[in-house]
Amino acid sequence: MLGIEHPIIQGGMHYVGFAELAAAVSNAGGLGIITGLTQKTPEDLAKEIGRCHEMTDKPFGVNLTFLPTVSSPDYPGYVDAILDGGVRIVETAGRNPQEHLPKLQQAGAKIIHKCTSVRHALKAQSIGCDAVSVDGFECGGHPGEDDIPNMILLPRAADELNIPFVASGGMADGRSLVAALAMGAEGMNMGTRFIATKEAPVHENVKQAIVAASELDTRLVMRPLRNTERVMNNAAVERLLAKEQELGKDLKFQDIIEQVAGVYPRIMMEGDMDAGAWSCGMVAGLIHDIPTCKELIDRIMGEAESLVADRLRGILGSPS
Ligand SMILES: Cc1cc2nc3c(=O)[nH]c(=O)nc-3n(C[C@H](O)[C@H](O)[C@H](O)COP(=O)(O)O)c2cc1C
C-alpha cells in the first residue's frame, strides 16, 4: 500500500519530524513522516516537502494533527501543500479527519489515521481511512483516556478491523516488530526510538535524556483536562503535576500554560531539557544507543528474522 521495503513507520513528531529525519527513515526502507504543523504556514510546509524530495527519492508522508483548538490552523492550506508537493501518504491524528478525506483521496493519497482505541479505529475505518495506526497506553504523546496497553489493544483491533493497521507505542526493536505482527498488525510505528538516532535534527541533550531514561521516567500530564500526554519527567513536569494536584477539578489550561505552551523549540532545538513538558514514551527504557536510521532499521529486521527463524521455530515442533 505504501511502496516501502520494511514495515516500519516513523510517526509525526512536533519539532522532530523535519525533512532530515523523514528522508533518513525513507532512505533506510521505512516510511519517514514530516510533521505538518511544526511548519508555521502551508508555504513553510511546501518548502520542507521540497527539501525532503531533495534528500530522498523514496516515498515519505506528512502528519496532519487535528488539534482541539478554537482558532484552527489553515488545514485546507496544509492539505494543498501536501498534494501540490507530490506527497501521497498522510498520517492524520487527533480529531476526526473526515472533512479533508475526499480531496486527499481523490488525489490518490493513502490515509493512515492514528488512534488510541478500537472505537476510534472503527470510526476511522467507517469514514474511509486506508489504514490505522493503533497507539497503546505506553506511547509517547497523547495516549487518550482509556489506558489500554498494546498487549490487549492490538489483538482487540485485529478482531474488529477489516482495514490494515500498524502497532504504535512502545515499539523499539525486532522483538516489538515480531510481537506486533503476531498480534495482527502489518507493521509498526515508532516515535521515541527515532528521536535517538544520528539523523534526528534535535539537540544532543534530547537524545542523551532518552538514552539515560528508564521505563519509569515518564509521567502522564493534563489528565484533568482530558488531554492526557505522556512526557519525560523533569523539573517543569513536577511543577505541573503539583499544580494539577493542588487545583484538582478546578484546573484550567491557563494554570499550566508555562509548562506546556510553545516549549518545544527550547527543548528540541536548544536542548534546555527542563524548559517544559515534552512527549516521550515508556519505551525509553529499551533505548540504549544512538544509531543511524539505517543501522536501526537493518538491526530491527535482522533481529526479527532470527527471532522467527530460531527462537520461534521451536513452536512448530520437530519435523516428522
Ligand atoms: C516528541 C514527540 C512529539 C510528538 N508529536 C506528535 C504530533 O505532533 N502529532 C502526532 O500525531 N503524534 C505525535 N507524537 C506521537 C508519535 O507520532 C507516536 O505515535 C508515538 O511516539 C508512538 O509511541 P512511542 O514513542 O512509544 O514510539 C509525538 C511523539 C513524541 C515522542
Side-chain angles (χ1 to χ4, degrees):
M1 179 190 284
L2 305 175
I4 57 176
E5 191 183 346
H6 303 305
I8 300 174
I9 300 178
Q10 166 248 315
M13 289 182 281
H14 199 38
Y15 277 91
V16 182
F18 293 97
E20 285 78 7
L21 180 60
V25 174
S26 289
N27 282 331
L31 180 75
I33 292 188
I34 292 173
T35 314
L37 295 190
T38 299
Q39 302 301 321
K40 291 208 166 54
T41 65
E43 293 70 37
D44 292 334
L45 177 59
K47 284 189 204 130
E48 196 66 10
I49 291 171
R51 288 204 315 120
C52 201
H53 280 304
E54 279 166 25
M55 289 183 257
T56 184
D57 53 11
K58 300 270 172 59
F60 62 88
V62 170
N63 168 287
L64 259 191
T65 301
F66 295 99
L67 301 165
T69 51
V70 194
S71 57
S72 181
D74 176 12
Y75 287 116
Y78 283 100
V79 166
D80 287 342
I82 290 168
L83 295 178
D84 295 346
V87 173
R88 291 294 178 270
I89 302 169
V90 179
E91 178 193 52
T92 54
R95 283 187 299 111
N96 186 331
Q98 188 165 15
E99 66 175 289
H100 303 286
L101 294 190
K103 185 161 193 182
L104 285 164
Q105 289 178 318
Q106 269 156 31
K110 298 289 181 203
I111 311 297
I112 310 167
H113 187 65
K114 191 157 54 193
C115 35
T116 57
S117 69
V118 173
R119 188 169 79 251
H120 291 149
L122 285 171
K123 181 75 191 173
Q125 173 174 286
S126 77
I127 64 171
C129 291
D130 298 280
V132 285
S133 196
V134 175
D135 226 2
F137 184 50
E138 308 87 332
C139 74
H142 292 270
E145 310 301 327
D146 289 350
D147 303 355
I148 309 297
N150 268 334
M151 207 71 174
I152 310 297
L153 191 59
L154 298 175
R156 281 283 300 123
D159 285 346
E160 299 271 349
L161 289 170
N162 299 318
I163 56 173
F165 68 97
V166 292
S168 179
M171 305 286 139
D173 52 30
R175 295 171 297 187
S176 321
L177 179 58
V178 173
L181 298 178
M183 288 192 273
E186 301 296 326
M188 68 179 181
N189 179 65
M190 304 194 295
T192 305
R193 174 64 270 197
F194 275 120
I195 305 177
T197 57
K198 291 226 163 55
E199 296 94 339
V202 299
H203 197 283
E204 193 60 25
N205 291 355
V206 182
K207 303 180 189 186
Q208 293 300 343
I210 291 172
V211 169
S214 87
E215 65 276 21
L216 302 174
D217 291 327
T218 71
R219 297 289 180 272
L220 295 175
V221 298
M222 293 193 282
R223 176 130 276 183
L225 301 174
R226 291 190 63 78
N227 185 30
T228 301
E229 182 180 359
R230 185 178 297 285
V231 299
M232 177 73 90
N233 195 19
N234 62 25
V237 167
E238 304 234 323
R239 284 200 301 280
L240 195 168
L241 289 171
K243 198 86 181 174
E244 286 186 2
Q245 192 139 40
E246 178 195 327
L247 295 176
K249 286 201 296 300
D250 297 330
L251 184 83
K252 305 267 177 310
F253 185 70
Q254 284 306 321
D255 300 316
I256 55 166
I257 198 160
E258 198 188 312
Q259 285 87 41
V260 295
V263 295
Y264 270 75
R266 274 169 62 201
I267 294 160
M268 296 298 175
M269 311 280 93
E270 293 164 33
D272 179 358
M273 298 317 296
D274 284 322
W278 58 281
S279 294
C280 180
M282 286 176 158
V283 73
L286 296 176
I287 298 171
H288 311 299
D289 61 356
I290 304 173
T292 66
C293 291
K294 179 157 172 46
E295 284 164 353
L296 177 63
I297 290 179
D298 286 350
R299 185 169 77 199
I300 291 171
M301 295 312 297
E303 286 169 356
E305 231 177 272
S306 50
L307 264 175
V308 174
D310 304 332
R311 185 173 164 77
L312 299 188
R313 200 162 53 116
I315 210 164
L316 297 176
S318 47
S320 51

